[in-house]
Amino acid sequence: MSTGHAAFEPPLSDRSTWQAHDRCSIGRAMQVVGSRSAMLLMREAFYGTRRFDDFADRVGITEAAAAKRLRELVDAGLLERTPYREPGQRTRHEYQLTPMGRDLLPAALALMQWGDGYLADDEGPPIVLRHADCGAPVAVEIRCAEGHDVPMHELRAGRPRRG
Amino acid sequence: MSTGHAAFEPPLSDRSTWQAHDRCSIGRAMQVVGSRSAMLLMREAFYGTRRFDDFADRVGITEAAAAKRLRELVDAGLLERTPYREPGQRTRHEYQLTPMGRDLLPAALALMQWGDGYLADDEGPPIVLRHADCGAPVAVEIRCAEGHDVPMHELRAGRPRRG
DNA sequence: AGCCTGACTTGCCATTCGTATAGTCAGGTG
DNA sequence: CACCTGACTATACGAATGGCAAGTCAGGCT
């Protein structure tokens, strides 16, 4: 029983009483953006990429794979495929973020932050994000509604109120 | 060219100048925890699960799949396989979080939060997390080192300083 | 009318992810 | 010493993921 497994202990260490297999939001989220290419396409969308070929090129996957994943992301509601026209060009379609897609940003940044910390090579992380207003580097943090930073061992899990 | 693609614009909208394909931390992170089962196993680890069979049962995957993923997570450094002994029981092994694994928590919670918001069913999310000290619900947020909340449109990406 | 380009689609193949079923192995208990 | 249990391993198979190469299609340009 050693030490140091800290999280979520008191109310939920007997996890066997609440089988959340299929209802778990992490599981559901992973079904939507749980492939490398899907999350990378979302990264490109965050960077402002909108055109099909750019998605495929920048993510580094084939057009076939990009087409399939983009369609799934559109179907799931993270991206919207809308027509647009550049002057002197014919009408094309662009993929742009929906609110649902935009709200995935914290998850993407959290993964990036973790990868920066543990998976980067000698050169360090390829990019850093800063706050436009003050120039300070940004980070993903866990906080409560009262504004406290919440370390892992201060987290408690419970059932939501019905209503 | 429509509106609303906000993020990371000024310094990086010409994304084609910095090919980060293989160095991207999101991509690297997804290679490690980019399968549904891997992330779900980490979820269980956060909940305090430590025994092999419990991992397989609670995640809802076969023992074969659990064995393979757990071995990968150990090799990658997110979990550690250590011997332990319960009184009157023989020596067994448990999988416990390393610091690297623990630091994945924000990413897992960000996914959970996103899933709660967009993928939950009529019953709503199965669990909510609260701050042990004050009881307030917790959330994953993007903030800068100066303590400001950073909305997506105030993010800027840049190359890190060398040295 | 024919060409070109961006945006896909189609076919085939390799790898990975996951399932189901059936072993194996170590060590404590009766 | 035979049995049981927890923790795996082995084999076989199906489904999803992704690559490569080639084909399609619409519409503006010459």
Side-chain angles (χ1 to χ4, degrees), chain B residues 127-150:
Chain B
I127 65 169
V128 282
L129 299 180
R130 298 182 177 282
H131 185 191
D133 291 7
C134 71
V138 309
V140 174
E141 294 175 4
I142 302 173
R143 318 187 94 228
C144 74
E146 299 292 324
H148 307 121
D149 272 309
V150 181

mmCIF file of all heavy atoms in Angstrom, chain B residues 127-150:
data_model
loop_
_atom_site.group_PDB
_atom_site.id
_atom_site.type_symbol
_atom_site.label_atom_id
_atom_site.label_comp_id
_atom_site.label_asym_id
_atom_site.label_seq_id
_atom_site.Cartn_x
_atom_site.Cartn_y
_atom_site.Cartn_z
ATOM 1 N N ILE B 127 -19.101 12.782 -12.713
ATOM 2 C CA ILE B 127 -18.509 13.250 -11.468
ATOM 3 C C ILE B 127 -18.080 14.705 -11.599
ATOM 4 O O ILE B 127 -17.875 15.206 -12.706
ATOM 5 C CB ILE B 127 -17.268 12.427 -11.048
ATOM 6 C CG1 ILE B 127 -16.151 12.608 -12.066
ATOM 7 C CG2 ILE B 127 -17.602 10.974 -10.848
ATOM 8 C CD1 ILE B 127 -14.833 12.064 -11.606
ATOM 9 N N VAL B 128 -17.971 15.369 -10.490
ATOM 10 C CA VAL B 128 -17.416 16.727 -10.466
ATOM 11 C C VAL B 128 -16.244 16.737 -9.489
ATOM 12 O O VAL B 128 -16.236 15.985 -8.521
ATOM 13 C CB VAL B 128 -18.438 17.781 -10.000
ATOM 14 C CG1 VAL B 128 -19.392 18.124 -11.109
ATOM 15 C CG2 VAL B 128 -19.183 17.308 -8.763
ATOM 16 N N LEU B 129 -15.293 17.582 -9.759
ATOM 17 C CA LEU B 129 -14.136 17.706 -8.882
ATOM 18 C C LEU B 129 -14.240 18.998 -8.084
ATOM 19 O O LEU B 129 -14.639 20.034 -8.616
ATOM 20 C CB LEU B 129 -12.851 17.701 -9.713
ATOM 21 C CG LEU B 129 -12.611 16.434 -10.535
ATOM 22 C CD1 LEU B 129 -11.312 16.559 -11.319
ATOM 23 C CD2 LEU B 129 -12.589 15.215 -9.641
ATOM 24 N N ARG B 130 -13.870 18.894 -6.820
ATOM 25 C CA ARG B 130 -13.914 20.070 -5.960
ATOM 26 C C ARG B 130 -12.583 20.253 -5.252
ATOM 27 O O ARG B 130 -11.805 19.314 -5.107
ATOM 28 C CB ARG B 130 -15.024 19.903 -4.911
ATOM 29 C CG ARG B 130 -16.386 19.788 -5.537
ATOM 30 C CD ARG B 130 -17.494 19.664 -4.511
ATOM 31 N NE ARG B 130 -18.781 19.628 -5.188
ATOM 32 C CZ ARG B 130 -19.393 20.720 -5.676
ATOM 33 N NH1 ARG B 130 -18.844 21.921 -5.497
ATOM 34 N NH2 ARG B 130 -20.534 20.616 -6.294
ATOM 35 N N HIS B 131 -12.360 21.470 -4.809
ATOM 36 C CA HIS B 131 -11.172 21.776 -4.045
ATOM 37 C C HIS B 131 -11.424 21.339 -2.591
ATOM 38 O O HIS B 131 -12.380 21.798 -1.968
ATOM 39 C CB HIS B 131 -10.885 23.282 -4.102
ATOM 40 C CG HIS B 131 -9.601 23.668 -3.425
ATOM 41 N ND1 HIS B 131 -9.272 24.986 -3.182
ATOM 42 C CD2 HIS B 131 -8.569 22.920 -2.982
ATOM 43 C CE1 HIS B 131 -8.089 25.023 -2.575
ATOM 44 N NE2 HIS B 131 -7.649 23.788 -2.450
ATOM 45 N N ALA B 132 -10.567 20.467 -2.086
ATOM 46 C CA ALA B 132 -10.780 19.927 -0.743
ATOM 47 C C ALA B 132 -10.885 21.044 0.298
ATOM 48 O O ALA B 132 -11.703 20.973 1.217
ATOM 49 C CB ALA B 132 -9.641 18.974 -0.379
ATOM 50 N N ASP B 133 -10.078 22.084 0.143
ATOM 51 C CA ASP B 133 -10.026 23.130 1.160
ATOM 52 C C ASP B 133 -11.296 23.978 1.210
ATOM 53 O O ASP B 133 -11.742 24.366 2.284
ATOM 54 C CB ASP B 133 -8.832 24.062 0.904
ATOM 55 C CG ASP B 133 -7.506 23.353 1.168
ATOM 56 O OD1 ASP B 133 -7.532 22.130 1.405
ATOM 57 O OD2 ASP B 133 -6.469 24.023 1.115
ATOM 58 N N CYS B 134 -11.867 24.293 0.066
ATOM 59 C CA CYS B 134 -12.982 25.240 0.071
ATOM 60 C C CYS B 134 -14.246 24.685 -0.565
ATOM 61 O O CYS B 134 -15.281 25.340 -0.551
ATOM 62 C CB CYS B 134 -12.567 26.548 -0.620
ATOM 63 S SG CYS B 134 -12.374 26.413 -2.398
ATOM 64 N N GLY B 135 -14.171 23.512 -1.151
ATOM 65 C CA GLY B 135 -15.369 22.904 -1.701
ATOM 66 C C GLY B 135 -15.801 23.427 -3.055
ATOM 67 O O GLY B 135 -16.768 22.936 -3.630
ATOM 68 N N ALA B 136 -15.098 24.409 -3.574
ATOM 69 C CA ALA B 136 -15.483 24.985 -4.858
ATOM 70 C C ALA B 136 -15.092 24.050 -5.997
ATOM 71 O O ALA B 136 -14.105 23.327 -5.895
ATOM 72 C CB ALA B 136 -14.815 26.348 -5.047
ATOM 73 N N PRO B 137 -15.886 24.036 -7.064
ATOM 74 C CA PRO B 137 -15.548 23.193 -8.211
ATOM 75 C C PRO B 137 -14.250 23.658 -8.880
ATOM 76 O O PRO B 137 -13.943 24.852 -8.870
ATOM 77 C CB PRO B 137 -16.743 23.377 -9.154
ATOM 78 C CG PRO B 137 -17.397 24.629 -8.726
ATOM 79 C CD PRO B 137 -17.136 24.779 -7.260
ATOM 80 N N VAL B 138 -13.525 22.734 -9.431
ATOM 81 C CA VAL B 138 -12.254 23.091 -10.055
ATOM 82 C C VAL B 138 -12.376 23.117 -11.573
ATOM 83 O O VAL B 138 -13.253 22.475 -12.147
ATOM 84 C CB VAL B 138 -11.119 22.123 -9.657
ATOM 85 C CG1 VAL B 138 -11.041 21.960 -8.155
ATOM 86 C CG2 VAL B 138 -11.279 20.788 -10.337
ATOM 87 N N ALA B 139 -11.490 23.881 -12.197
ATOM 88 C CA ALA B 139 -11.455 23.982 -13.644
ATOM 89 C C ALA B 139 -10.016 24.144 -14.105
ATOM 90 O O ALA B 139 -9.153 24.570 -13.336
ATOM 91 C CB ALA B 139 -12.300 25.173 -14.111
ATOM 92 N N VAL B 140 -9.795 23.793 -15.346
ATOM 93 C CA VAL B 140 -8.475 23.985 -15.945
ATOM 94 C C VAL B 140 -8.486 25.318 -16.662
ATOM 95 O O VAL B 140 -9.413 25.611 -17.420
ATOM 96 C CB VAL B 140 -8.166 22.850 -16.931
ATOM 97 C CG1 VAL B 140 -6.869 23.114 -17.665
ATOM 98 C CG2 VAL B 140 -8.094 21.525 -16.192
ATOM 99 N N GLU B 141 -7.501 26.140 -16.401
ATOM 100 C CA GLU B 141 -7.476 27.481 -16.974
ATOM 101 C C GLU B 141 -6.132 27.806 -17.592
ATOM 102 O O GLU B 141 -5.113 27.269 -17.186
ATOM 103 C CB GLU B 141 -7.767 28.516 -15.880
ATOM 104 C CG GLU B 141 -9.170 28.411 -15.331
ATOM 105 C CD GLU B 141 -9.401 29.365 -14.162
ATOM 106 O OE1 GLU B 141 -8.474 30.138 -13.849
ATOM 107 O OE2 GLU B 141 -10.497 29.330 -13.592
ATOM 108 N N ILE B 142 -6.186 28.717 -18.549
ATOM 109 C CA ILE B 142 -4.958 29.187 -19.176
ATOM 110 C C ILE B 142 -4.608 30.536 -18.558
ATOM 111 O O ILE B 142 -5.393 31.479 -18.619
ATOM 112 C CB ILE B 142 -5.147 29.332 -20.697
ATOM 113 C CG1 ILE B 142 -5.567 27.979 -21.287
ATOM 114 C CG2 ILE B 142 -3.870 29.831 -21.356
ATOM 115 C CD1 ILE B 142 -5.946 28.051 -22.750
ATOM 116 N N ARG B 143 -3.445 30.613 -17.933
ATOM 117 C CA ARG B 143 -3.043 31.836 -17.259
ATOM 118 C C ARG B 143 -1.590 32.133 -17.580
ATOM 119 O O ARG B 143 -0.820 31.238 -17.909
ATOM 120 C CB ARG B 143 -3.170 31.706 -15.741
ATOM 121 C CG ARG B 143 -4.412 31.001 -15.292
ATOM 122 C CD ARG B 143 -4.526 31.078 -13.798
ATOM 123 N NE ARG B 143 -5.329 32.213 -13.404
ATOM 124 C CZ ARG B 143 -5.003 33.094 -12.464
ATOM 125 N NH1 ARG B 143 -3.841 32.979 -11.843
ATOM 126 N NH2 ARG B 143 -5.808 34.079 -12.161
ATOM 127 N N CYS B 144 -1.193 33.388 -17.445
ATOM 128 C CA CYS B 144 0.202 33.733 -17.666
ATOM 129 C C CYS B 144 0.899 33.848 -16.317
ATOM 130 O O CYS B 144 0.266 33.816 -15.262
ATOM 131 C CB CYS B 144 0.339 35.028 -18.458
ATOM 132 S SG CYS B 144 -0.050 36.500 -17.508
ATOM 133 N N ALA B 145 2.214 33.963 -16.386
ATOM 134 C CA ALA B 145 3.020 34.002 -15.167
ATOM 135 C C ALA B 145 2.690 35.218 -14.302
ATOM 136 O O ALA B 145 3.000 35.241 -13.108
ATOM 137 C CB ALA B 145 4.506 33.986 -15.520
ATOM 138 N N GLU B 146 2.061 36.221 -14.881
ATOM 139 C CA GLU B 146 1.664 37.401 -14.106
ATOM 140 C C GLU B 146 0.310 37.183 -13.442
ATOM 141 O O GLU B 146 -0.199 38.072 -12.750
ATOM 142 C CB GLU B 146 1.577 38.632 -15.024
ATOM 143 C CG GLU B 146 2.885 39.001 -15.707
ATOM 144 C CD GLU B 146 3.918 39.518 -14.701
ATOM 145 O OE1 GLU B 146 3.524 40.213 -13.740
ATOM 146 O OE2 GLU B 146 5.118 39.199 -14.877
ATOM 147 N N GLY B 147 -0.285 36.067 -13.693
ATOM 148 C CA GLY B 147 -1.534 35.755 -13.024
ATOM 149 C C GLY B 147 -2.784 36.148 -13.783
ATOM 150 O O GLY B 147 -3.891 36.005 -13.267
ATOM 151 N N HIS B 148 -2.645 36.617 -15.015
ATOM 152 C CA HIS B 148 -3.841 36.979 -15.789
ATOM 153 C C HIS B 148 -4.454 35.746 -16.444
ATOM 154 O O HIS B 148 -3.721 34.875 -16.914
ATOM 155 C CB HIS B 148 -3.490 37.965 -16.914
ATOM 156 C CG HIS B 148 -2.748 39.181 -16.463
ATOM 157 N ND1 HIS B 148 -1.495 39.521 -16.955
ATOM 158 C CD2 HIS B 148 -3.057 40.130 -15.548
ATOM 159 C CE1 HIS B 148 -1.082 40.645 -16.376
ATOM 160 N NE2 HIS B 148 -2.013 41.033 -15.507
ATOM 161 N N ASP B 149 -5.760 35.718 -16.487
ATOM 162 C CA ASP B 149 -6.423 34.751 -17.348
ATOM 163 C C ASP B 149 -6.111 35.125 -18.794
ATOM 164 O O ASP B 149 -6.177 36.297 -19.153
ATOM 165 C CB ASP B 149 -7.949 34.801 -17.137
ATOM 166 C CG ASP B 149 -8.379 33.872 -16.021
ATOM 167 O OD1 ASP B 149 -7.991 32.692 -16.069
ATOM 168 O OD2 ASP B 149 -9.087 34.336 -15.113
ATOM 169 N N VAL B 150 -5.798 34.135 -19.597
ATOM 170 C CA VAL B 150 -5.441 34.426 -20.982
ATOM 171 C C VAL B 150 -6.436 33.771 -21.930
ATOM 172 O O VAL B 150 -6.404 32.563 -22.127
ATOM 173 C CB VAL B 150 -4.017 33.916 -21.307
ATOM 174 C CG1 VAL B 150 -3.652 34.257 -22.747
ATOM 175 C CG2 VAL B 150 -3.002 34.508 -20.339
#
